Amino acid sequence: MGQQPITFIRQVLALVTYPPLLDDPKFPEDAKQRARTILAGCRGGSVGSYTDSPGIEVIRRHVAQYIQERDGIPADWQNVVVSAGASDAIRNVLKLLICEVNGKRPGVMIPIPQYPLYSASLAEFNMPQIGYYLNESTNWGLDVSELQRAISEARKTCHPRAIVIINPGNPTGQVLSRENIEAIIKFAYKEKLFIFADEVYQHNIYAPGSKFYSFKKVLIEMGEPYSKMELASFMSCSKGYMGECGLRGGYAEVINMEPQVKAMYLKAISAMLCPTVLGQACLDIVMNPPKKGEPSYELFQKEKNEVLESLKLRAKMVADTFNSMEGFSCNTVQGAMYAFPQMKLPPKAIEAAKKAGKAPDVFYAFELLENTGICIVPGSGFGQQPGTYHFRTTILPQPDKLKGMLDKFAQFHKQFLSKYS
Amino acid sequence: MGQQPITFIRQVLALVTYPPLLDDPKFPEDAKQRARTILAGCRGGSVGSYTDSPGIEVIRRHVAQYIQERDGIPADWQNVVVSAGASDAIRNVLKLLICEVNGKRPGVMIPIPQYPLYSASLAEFNMPQIGYYLNESTNWGLDVSELQRAISEARKTCHPRAIVIINPGNPTGQVLSRENIEAIIKFAYKEKLFIFADEVYQHNIYAPGSKFYSFKKVLIEMGEPYSKMELASFMSCSKGYMGECGLRGGYAEVINMEPQVKAMYLKAISAMLCPTVLGQACLDIVMNPPKKGEPSYELFQKEKNEVLESLKLRAKMVADTFNSMEGFSCNTVQGAMYAFPQMKLPPKAIEAAKKAGKAPDVFYAFELLENTGICIVPGSGFGQQPGTYHFRTTILPQPDKLKGMLDKFAQFHKQFLSKYS
């Protein structure tokens, strides 16, 4: 999408991969220092060695320090499990809940719309999915009454064990308020649910007034009994300002986990040996970026802020454009990387979709693709209230390209409306 | 263990990670060329982008070409699925067999002794493990009569669906003969078993007269009906002469798979997005090393041969030393990286182990560790014939260290025998 990698990340990775570069004066001293620290944590001083399954100790410590500074609350490095991207971490924790209770399968509450990793993994693990609808009219907030409806219905057929919250939201782009998080935690406590806090977009906050609160911070600050709840929080190198998806770095911070279960968790991941060491190294840098006064600090901040500032502009551009188009409404993109606009489709278009054997939003997406080359993901891929039609689009293309895309889209939409009205 | 990385691999990885190095005259031109080819296969020309879930097309093509040259038999790049190490690939194919038949769970035949990935994964997937004993007296070969015994017993309680063969063997170091492979294929055909050929040590062949035959080559050359059987072969960057375990690169080649199953396979792996791009890049280089006449050819060959020649010496040194020790017998280490010697333990030692609440081989391993600092893995971790005692040790330490270790080991063993005789 044209986003450039952060120089410092790539420099450190090149140094740990090919240590003769440590003698090259072209690399800044702080990049070399990071590389030496990472290599000192590797067996035999090489990224080619297996590490402990939960990751290199010094990197786990840097993650804990990052969390501690973020939340203002102590974090124990032994609760940090490094992974090959957040998906890996999420699935490894999810698996621990595969256990029938009184003949009932273990259910997991997930938002609708949701990120398809959850539905796919739950299907694979034969765990019932308990969908709760996000409230589009409160900018995709979570209503406790809806959570209650969903779990009460589900209890008839399964044993609910966990709730997944994606904050900032994918595909919905909301950033949850502290009050909303507190209400969710109280609900989870009452219903004895393990909390999965998918917080991979924690660096992507754009809207004025929006602020990221980690579930851990809120839960600990609520005090007992909430502060004793089991929670896993997930983070990744694939999003944020770095966007290093191909390197596969991420982590889970797991708190208050029953020690016997935690022992089994660590044993289970050991079958896969260890997450990629270069992915771990990337995570290390994201958790422990250059500090003020170090040679790479200025450039790092500049590159980081440019990405985030540009995403902020694009978040607004996308929502504003769709809101200006007939029949579209789009919530504020408060965070993450996506907009999930709703569209009203004319009855004739719905009929044409039916004839074509496609869901109406899928029909629209294909028409758009074929006429303009623009690819959106129909809302039915993520789930949506019956009878409503949405799609996910990203704010990732660079501003010029994005503007061109949105202009084309608006033009197509006019033609589509006139064709089917 | 003191083994040095292959220069060319690390050079290419540094180049793809930090492309400004492409202008650095210190890097050889062929390394730059490989880096450009890999980057051209990456979206946006960056290793930070997601790739297709089965891997980058050009890398899959290089893998297919490698297989084709190895076997002298065509290989289709679309049958190659790149993975984060072989473990990832093995588990992804294994999962496809999770399916009850007539109320019976799907069983998988695995060797005893075996590499624990299999027992751990089968336990996780709730798939019965059907152990077949390797024949220690034929250098850990596979007897069809033993395969038949194992499957006949298993059919009473489960539905056997697959057979795993590790060749060269881990932890047993054997290299199967072509005749033995043919017999196994015929057995698998008769019993309708999917073949898992774990061939990650295919570059590690040491003993005079031993030669690696891939299961695919043998199966195809046997002609119909065998050449139509479903088979997956697994390979890794973690072993061989490169030993890049931390980079997590590997692949599965899957042939004759039912198209609907293959579609589901490719869909299932997409939940995890893609294997690490730098692990993929490492695989690319292993599959497509410098060619004669290219600037890096000589150094690459030198480094590769030094590692393999040294491993060959060490394979002999380890087996010879154990065979010279009282009460030990060790098969020839024909390939892979391990020896799995048998030891006769005196009755008093067995009694002492019982008192200590340990299996005799575990007891011995702890005594060894506490007295010498040498760590071996007791045979019970891999499985062994009841009443026999083994351990796995590796041939990986550098010759000097290995010699020192073996001397210490022999000295300890004498003391152990005199203590418990």
Side-chain angles (χ1 to χ4, degrees):
Chain A
M1 288 289 175
Q3 185 178 314
Q4 292 308 304
I6 302 287
T7 304
F8 185 74
I9 293 180
R10 296 303 187 88
Q11 285 175 331
V12 176
L13 290 178
L15 288 162
V16 296
T17 303
Y18 189 53
L21 291 173
L22 287 166
D23 297 327
D24 188 327
K26 280 203 302 296
F27 284 80
E29 199 43 53
D30 53 347
K32 291 181 183 174
Q33 197 42 53
R34 301 301 156 112
R36 286 192 203 100
T37 303
I38 294 168
L39 289 174
C42 295
R43 297 216 174 86
S46 169
V47 295
S49 304
Y50 289 126
T51 71
D52 290 347
S53 304
I56 295 172
E57 181 176 325
V58 67
I59 297 178
R60 295 167 76 192
R61 287 184 184 273
H62 285 155
V63 173
Q65 209 172 329
Y66 160 85
I67 296 171
Q68 195 156 321
E69 282 163 20
R70 181 194 68 192
D71 292 342
I73 284 169
D76 181 349
W77 69 272
Q78 301 202 37
N79 287 338
V80 172
V81 176
V82 181
S83 58
S87 309
D88 183 32
I90 291 167
R91 286 163 60 96
N92 285 334
V93 180
L94 205 50
K95 274 181 206 170
L96 299 173
L97 303 174
I98 305 181
C99 175
E100 293 200 353
V101 177
N102 300 327
K104 284 181 171 171
R105 288 187 295 148
V108 176
M109 302 188 75
I110 63 172
I112 302 179
Q114 57 107 26
Y115 175 61
L117 167 71
Y118 292 101
S119 48
S121 299
L122 292 174
E124 182 182 327
F125 300 157
N126 196 22
M127 296 167 89
Q129 144 181 350
I130 307 167
Y132 62 84
Y133 286 104
L134 299 175
N135 188 341
E136 190 164 6
S137 68
T138 58
N139 214 83
W140 302 112
L142 275 78
D143 288 347
V144 171
S145 61
E146 167 59 12
L147 296 176
Q148 198 60 61
R149 176 206 63 75
I151 203 168
S152 303
E153 273 179 30
R155 283 208 186 277
K156 295 173 198 158
T157 55
C158 75
H159 183 82
R161 302 219 39 181
I163 181 167
V164 171
I165 302 103
I166 311 177
N167 177 47
N170 177 3
T172 38
Q174 81 279 28
V175 177
L176 296 181
S177 70
R178 187 176 178 120
E179 293 65 44
N180 205 164
I181 294 174
E182 282 180 11
I184 297 162
I185 291 171
K186 284 182 185 166
F187 168 80
Y189 176 78
K190 183 169 75 76
E191 302 289 346
K192 297 193 173 57
L193 299 175
F194 188 111
I195 297 175
F196 282 69
D198 180 337
E199 298 175 327
V200 297
Y201 294 100
Q202 59 191 260
H203 292 155
N204 299 81
I205 310 289
Y206 315 118
S210 287
K211 186 171 179 252
F212 172 72
Y213 293 96
S214 78
F215 266 74
K216 181 190 173 194
K217 179 184 171 69
V218 176
L219 175 147
I220 297 289
E221 289 179 352
M222 284 167 77
E224 291 200 30
Y226 309 108
S227 57
K228 299 286 179 205
M229 291 175 69
E230 290 182 306
L231 170 140
S233 160
F234 304 96
M235 179 56 180
S236 163
C237 298
S238 304
K239 317 298 173 188
Y241 56 88
M242 50 286 177
E244 294 283 12
C245 359
L247 303 183
R248 313 309 297 128
Y251 74 78
E253 186 199 15
V254 182
I255 62 167
N256 297 326
M257 186 177 261
E258 171 70 29
Q260 278 181 296
V261 178
K262 190 166 174 197
M264 192 51 74
Y265 171 37
L266 295 177
K267 189 173 170 180
I269 59 169
S270 73
M272 291 298 281
L273 300 160
C274 71
T276 153
V277 178
L278 294 171
Q280 295 189 46
C282 179
L283 179 67
D284 185 74
I285 308 156
V286 172
M287 294 291 116
N288 183 29
K291 308 254 175 306
K292 215 165 182 162
E294 293 177 353
S296 302
Y297 177 78
E298 301 293 338
L299 180 63
F300 189 96
Q301 288 300 319
K302 181 174 168 285
E303 290 175 340
K304 172 181 167 175
N305 291 338
E306 274 174 11
V307 172
L308 291 175
E309 281 305 310
S310 174
L311 283 170
K312 192 173 179 172
L313 281 176
R314 288 177 261 162
K316 193 166 166 0
M317 188 199 296
V318 167
D320 287 353
T321 307
F322 285 116
N323 281 325
S324 74
M325 282 159 65
E326 191 189 337
F328 276 69
S329 63
C330 183
N331 275 329
T332 306
V333 179
Q334 298 174 317
M337 295 174 166
Y338 314 99
F340 198 69
Q342 184 170 167
M343 51 188 175
K344 304 262 176 265
L345 294 178
K348 274 194 187 161
I350 295 175
E351 221 165 281
K354 206 176 278 176
K355 265 189 205 148
K358 288 196 175 81
D361 54 350
V362 176
F363 177 78
Y364 184 90
F366 269 101
E367 290 273 303
L368 177 68
L369 180 65
E370 282 161 15
N371 283 282
T372 65
I374 299 169
C375 179
I376 54 173
V377 189
S380 35
F382 304 92
Q384 56 199 344
Q385 288 275 12
T388 67
Y389 305 113
H390 298 77
F391 58 90
R392 186 181 89 165
T393 184
T394 96
I395 61 169
L396 285 174
Q398 297 303 306
D400 272 8
K401 221 171 189 174
L402 186 63
K403 185 155 185 335
M405 185 275 272
L406 290 170
D407 288 350
K408 251 195 198 167
F409 198 133
Q411 213 177 331
F412 161 81
H413 187 63
K414 262 189 208 149
Q415 287 163 357
F416 184 89
L417 287 187
S418 73
K419 184 171 173 191
Y420 292 106
S421 67
Chain B
M1 289 288 176
Q3 185 178 313
Q4 293 308 304
I6 303 287
T7 304
F8 186 74
I9 293 179
R10 295 303 187 87
Q11 285 175 332
V12 176
L13 290 178
L15 289 162
V16 296
T17 303
Y18 189 53
L21 291 173
L22 286 165
D23 298 327
D24 187 328
K26 280 200 303 296
F27 284 80
E29 200 42 54
D30 53 349
K32 291 181 183 173
Q33 198 41 53
R34 302 301 157 111
R36 285 191 203 100
T37 304
I38 293 168
L39 289 174
C42 294
R43 298 215 173 87
S46 170
V47 294
S49 303
Y50 290 124
T51 70
D52 290 347
S53 303
I56 295 172
E57 181 176 326
V58 66
I59 298 180
R60 297 168 75 192
R61 287 184 183 273
H62 286 154
V63 174
Q65 210 172 326
Y66 160 85
I67 297 171
Q68 195 155 321
E69 281 163 21
R70 182 194 67 192
D71 292 341
I73 285 168
D76 181 348
W77 70 272
Q78 300 202 34
N79 287 337
V80 173
V81 176
V82 181
S83 58
S87 308
D88 182 34
I90 291 166
R91 286 163 59 96
N92 285 335
V93 180
L94 205 49
K95 273 182 209 170
L96 299 174
L97 303 173
I98 304 181
C99 174
E100 293 199 355
V101 177
N102 300 328
K104 282 181 172 173
R105 287 186 295 149
V108 177
M109 301 189 74
I110 63 171
I112 302 180
Q114 56 106 25
Y115 175 62
L117 167 71
Y118 293 101
S119 49
S121 300
L122 292 174
E124 182 182 326
F125 299 156
N126 196 21
M127 296 168 89
Q129 142 182 352
I130 307 168
Y132 61 85
Y133 286 104
L134 299 176
N135 188 342
E136 189 165 6
S137 68
T138 58
N139 214 83
W140 302 112
L142 274 78
D143 289 346
V144 171
S145 61
E146 167 59 13
L147 296 176
Q148 199 60 63
R149 176 205 64 75
I151 204 168
S152 303
E153 274 181 30
R155 284 211 186 277
K156 295 173 197 159
T157 54
C158 75
H159 183 81
R161 303 219 40 182
I163 182 168
V164 171
I165 301 103
I166 311 178
N167 178 46
N170 176 3
T172 38
Q174 82 279 29
V175 177
L176 297 180
S177 69
R178 191 179 176 117
E179 294 66 43
N180 205 165
I181 294 173
E182 282 180 10
I184 297 162
I185 291 170
K186 284 182 184 163
F187 168 81
Y189 177 77
K190 186 170 72 76
E191 302 288 348
K192 297 193 171 60
L193 300 175
F194 189 110
I195 296 176
F196 282 70
D198 179 337
E199 299 174 327
V200 296
Y201 294 100
Q202 60 192 260
H203 292 155
N204 298 82
I205 311 288
Y206 315 119
S210 287
K211 188 171 178 243
F212 172 74
Y213 294 95
S214 78
F215 266 74
K216 181 191 174 194
K217 177 182 173 70
V218 176
L219 175 146
I220 298 289
E221 289 179 354
M222 284 166 75
E224 292 201 28
Y226 308 108
S227 58
K228 299 286 179 208
M229 291 173 69
E230 289 182 306
L231 170 140
S233 161
F234 304 96
M235 180 54 181
S236 162
C237 299
S238 304
K239 317 297 175 190
Y241 56 87
M242 50 287 181
E244 295 283 12
C245 359
L247 302 183
R248 314 308 299 127
Y251 74 78
E253 187 200 15
V254 182
I255 61 167
N256 297 327
M257 187 177 258
E258 170 72 28
Q260 278 182 295
V261 178
K262 190 165 174 196
M264 192 49 74
Y265 172 37
L266 296 177
K267 188 172 171 183
I269 60 169
S270 74
M272 291 298 280
L273 302 159
C274 72
T276 153
V277 178
L278 293 171
Q280 296 189 48
C282 179
L283 179 67
D284 185 73
I285 307 156
V286 172
M287 295 291 117
N288 183 29
K291 308 253 176 304
K292 217 167 180 160
E294 293 177 351
S296 302
Y297 177 78
E298 301 292 339
L299 180 63
F300 189 94
Q301 288 299 320
K302 181 174 169 286
E303 290 176 338
K304 172 181 167 176
N305 292 337
E306 274 175 9
V307 172
L308 291 175
E309 281 305 311
S310 175
L311 283 169
K312 193 173 178 172
L313 282 176
R314 287 177 262 163
K316 194 165 162 5
M317 189 199 297
V318 167
D320 288 352
T321 306
F322 284 116
N323 281 325
S324 73
M325 282 159 64
E326 192 190 337
F328 277 70
S329 62
C330 183
N331 276 330
T332 305
V333 178
Q334 298 174 318
M337 295 175 168
Y338 316 99
F340 198 68
Q342 183 172 165
M343 53 187 171
K344 302 264 179 263
L345 294 178
K348 275 193 188 161
I350 296 176
E351 221 165 283
K354 205 175 279 174
K355 265 189 203 145
K358 288 194 175 84
D361 55 349
V362 176
F363 177 76
Y364 184 90
F366 268 102
E367 290 272 303
L368 177 69
L369 180 64
E370 281 161 15
N371 282 281
T372 65
I374 299 169
C375 180
I376 54 173
V377 191
S380 35
F382 303 93
Q384 56 199 344
Q385 287 275 12
T388 67
Y389 305 112
H390 298 76
F391 59 90
R392 184 181 90 168
T393 185
T394 95
I395 61 168
L396 286 174
Q398 298 303 305
D400 273 7
K401 224 174 187 172
L402 187 63
K403 189 160 178 334
M405 185 273 272
L406 291 170
D407 288 350
K408 250 194 202 167
F409 198 132
Q411 212 177 333
F412 161 81
H413 187 63
K414 262 189 209 154
Q415 285 162 359
F416 183 89
L417 287 188
S418 73
K419 184 172 171 188
Y420 292 105
S421 68

